[in-house]
Amino acid sequence: MNRQYDILIIGGGMAGASLAIALSGHGLRLGLVEAAPLEVDAVPNYDDRGIALSYGSRRIFSALGVWSAMHGQAQPIEHIHVSEQGGFGFTHLHADEEKVPALGYVITARDLGAGLLPALESLDDLDIIAPARVQWARVEADRARIGLEEGELQARLLVAADGGHSLVRQQLGFETRRREYHQSAITANITPGQPHGNAAWERFTANGPMALLPMTESRCALVWTVADEEVGEVLSLNDRQFLDRVQRNFGWRLGRLQQVGKRASYPLSQLWVPDTVQQRAVVIGNAAHTLHPVAGQGFNLGLRDVAALAEVVLNAWRQEQDPADLDSLTRYQQWRQRDQRGVVEATNLLVRSFSNDFLPVKLARNLGVLGLEALPPARHAIARAAMGLHGRLPRLSRGLPL
């Protein structure tokens, strides 16, 4: 094996697959390398976790032509309610106020993958190399190269979309900054006693942020942050004990919690790559920024990377310029840097501020949340940002084809 491509994407998860679909059909020679067999049941990212898609992400998927394969399994979020356990402050966001059909949607990663992978496999200008594990990666003046067990691949542009533990990012020496939260997220699908009404609940508890997001089949997706030392004990509870523990922290807004599905946990940290480009290489998605799930922005931020990168690459290609030239990639980075940095810092601020139980701090944040409820313009600005509709939007984020 010794193939040459214009664009070579490492990672067949949600960001990598979306980028390949976005770049297809424009005369580029595309390759995608994935360590696992490229099947929904085989790629680790395509599991039963509930993924919160912003309204902007729905626009991107619509423009890519894959939303029709997903929307039947995607539950709309029409209302978001934010509160703190034991506090008096609360605020809400509502789709009607924003004049959109939904603020976002919740879909399992498995159903999202089931919408992406058939589209990926139908692309005539894409070589899928899977299962294949990258052994090394190098960048030279005129090309990027990766090594596989079976041989070598070359490309004008190498895109690392291989997750938070990205080997390509490490091999190419991208600087990374990391914060450890010493927390883990426990995820499960829960059936409440009352209809969820397409509402998402963000509850800041003494044990950490807890989100219950509306899903199909009258279920809710639970994302509950707990201290690392408590994970084993919480996961060892039987189903009724687990539901009772959730109930004590969440309250009775959805009635008595009835059933819980398979539980899983994963450690939480924040990873950020300040400079995501170098000559002939770029990192996107979780390889560029891995976030705490408190605001549900991780995948949406990565999908906006995809939309902007595809537009910059194709603009350069149409003007007969080298899409992997550092000048082109710098334009992409300058476009994305403010959004990436803003979401990284805002997410960390939320985690830190709601982890502080010092009484004056708790009082101040409750007053702040209550003040937000009384200021519709401020709520509107937050809603636009959460929906991925602020700043300079790529064509895909406006629902327009490339």
Side-chain angles (χ1 to χ4, degrees):
M1 181 186 295
N2 191 348
R3 306 177 194 169
Q4 298 188 11
Y5 299 96
D6 293 308
I7 314 291
L8 184 59
I9 302 165
I10 310 301
M14 294 177 280
S18 298
L19 180 63
I21 294 168
L23 292 173
S24 178
H26 299 279
L28 291 161
R29 294 168 296 171
L30 305 172
L32 184 147
V33 178
E34 167 56 44
L38 208 56
E39 303 167 357
V40 171
D41 292 333
V43 178
N45 286 345
Y46 297 136
D47 54 24
D48 289 324
R49 286 170 300 133
I51 302 293
L53 297 179
S54 68
Y55 181 66
S57 293
R58 177 223 162 134
R59 281 184 174 178
I60 293 171
F61 283 141
S62 294
L64 294 179
V66 297
W67 181 247
S68 60
M70 301 176 186
H71 75 89
Q73 300 301 320
Q75 189 72 26
I77 300 173
E78 298 174 356
H79 179 86
I80 298 175
H81 188 278
V82 181
S83 64
E84 180 176 5
Q85 184 184 28
F88 56 84
F90 73 93
T91 191
H92 80 280
L93 305 174
H94 204 287
D96 288 345
E97 293 182 0
E98 302 306 321
K99 297 178 173 58
V100 293
L103 298 168
Y105 300 81
V106 182
I107 185 172
T108 68
R110 184 180 304 279
D111 287 330
L112 199 154
L116 288 174
L117 294 189
L120 199 67
E121 292 165 355
S122 71
L123 304 179
D124 294 333
D125 52 359
L126 173 70
D127 284 349
I128 297 174
I129 303 104
R133 193 172 295 276
V134 175
Q135 306 295 310
W136 52 264
R138 297 173 193 159
V139 170
E140 300 170 356
D142 60 344
R143 61 184 174 175
R145 300 163 53 209
I146 66 161
L148 307 175
E149 289 183 357
E150 298 82 4
E152 180 179 309
L153 302 178
Q154 301 180 12
R156 289 189 181 192
L157 175 63
L158 183 63
V159 180
D162 50 341
H165 300 289
S166 171
L167 174 66
V168 174
R169 183 191 66 219
Q170 297 170 22
Q171 288 273 306
L172 299 184
F174 282 91
E175 178 192 356
T176 60
R177 298 178 185 175
R178 184 183 293 273
R179 289 187 178 105
E180 298 295 340
Y181 291 116
H182 308 291
Q183 297 174 328
S184 293
I186 294 177
T187 61
N189 297 333
I190 285 180
T191 302
Q194 297 177 7
H196 54 56
N198 293 336
W201 303 84
E202 185 77 50
R203 182 85 162 144
F204 290 93
T205 79
N207 291 322
M210 173 183 287
L212 276 173
L213 310 175
M215 295 184 70
T216 57
E217 301 176 4
S218 301
R219 298 170 299 162
C220 291
L222 170 71
V223 184
W224 183 17
T225 302
V226 300
D228 282 341
E229 59 268 22
E230 298 177 11
V231 173
E233 187 262 332
V234 173
L235 290 178
S236 69
L237 299 173
N238 65 38
D239 286 357
R240 188 67 259 165
Q241 291 170 330
F242 179 82
L243 289 171
D244 288 344
R245 183 76 64 89
V246 173
Q247 191 97 59
R248 287 201 299 271
N249 285 274
F250 177 73
W252 296 84
R253 294 167 180 81
L254 291 173
R256 185 170 179 81
L257 304 179
Q258 301 294 314
Q259 294 180 345
V260 60
K262 181 180 178 181
R263 288 171 259 166
S265 70
Y266 57 94
L268 298 177
S269 62
Q270 183 186 84
L271 179 143
W272 178 43
V273 178
D275 295 308
T276 59
V277 304
Q278 55 181 251
Q279 183 80 12
R280 306 211 171 275
V282 57
V283 293
I284 65 169
N286 282 350
H289 36 70
T290 302
L291 306 180
H292 193 288
V294 62
Q297 286 298 308
F299 174 62
N300 298 295
L301 186 64
L303 196 58
R304 294 198 292 275
D305 292 347
V306 166
L309 181 60
E311 187 165 329
V312 168
V313 165
L314 290 177
N315 283 345
W317 179 254
R318 288 162 179 157
Q319 296 169 20
E320 298 184 353
Q321 299 172 359
D322 186 348
D325 182 79
L326 189 56
D327 289 340
S328 293
L329 296 180
T330 299
R331 286 195 292 273
Y332 159 77
Q333 177 164 279
Q334 291 172 344
W335 187 357
R336 292 297 303 138
Q337 207 159 39
R338 183 175 180 180
D339 185 23
Q340 291 174 346
R341 181 172 296 180
V343 173
V344 166
E345 292 178 352
T347 300
N348 187 62
L349 179 62
L350 271 176
V351 175
R352 297 300 187 194
S353 62
F354 279 93
S355 298
N356 191 331
D357 289 329
F358 185 48
L359 186 58
V361 174
K362 186 170 184 176
L363 178 63
R365 69 177 175 245
N366 273 268
L367 288 171
V369 171
L370 199 60
L372 184 62
E373 178 66 13
L375 292 172
R379 290 206 315 273
H380 174 68
I382 289 173
R384 299 290 291 180
M387 290 190 291
L389 301 181
H390 69 304
R392 178 188 165 201
L393 298 181
R395 289 181 59 85
L396 292 174
S397 292
R398 288 177 277 148
L400 302 174
L402 291 171

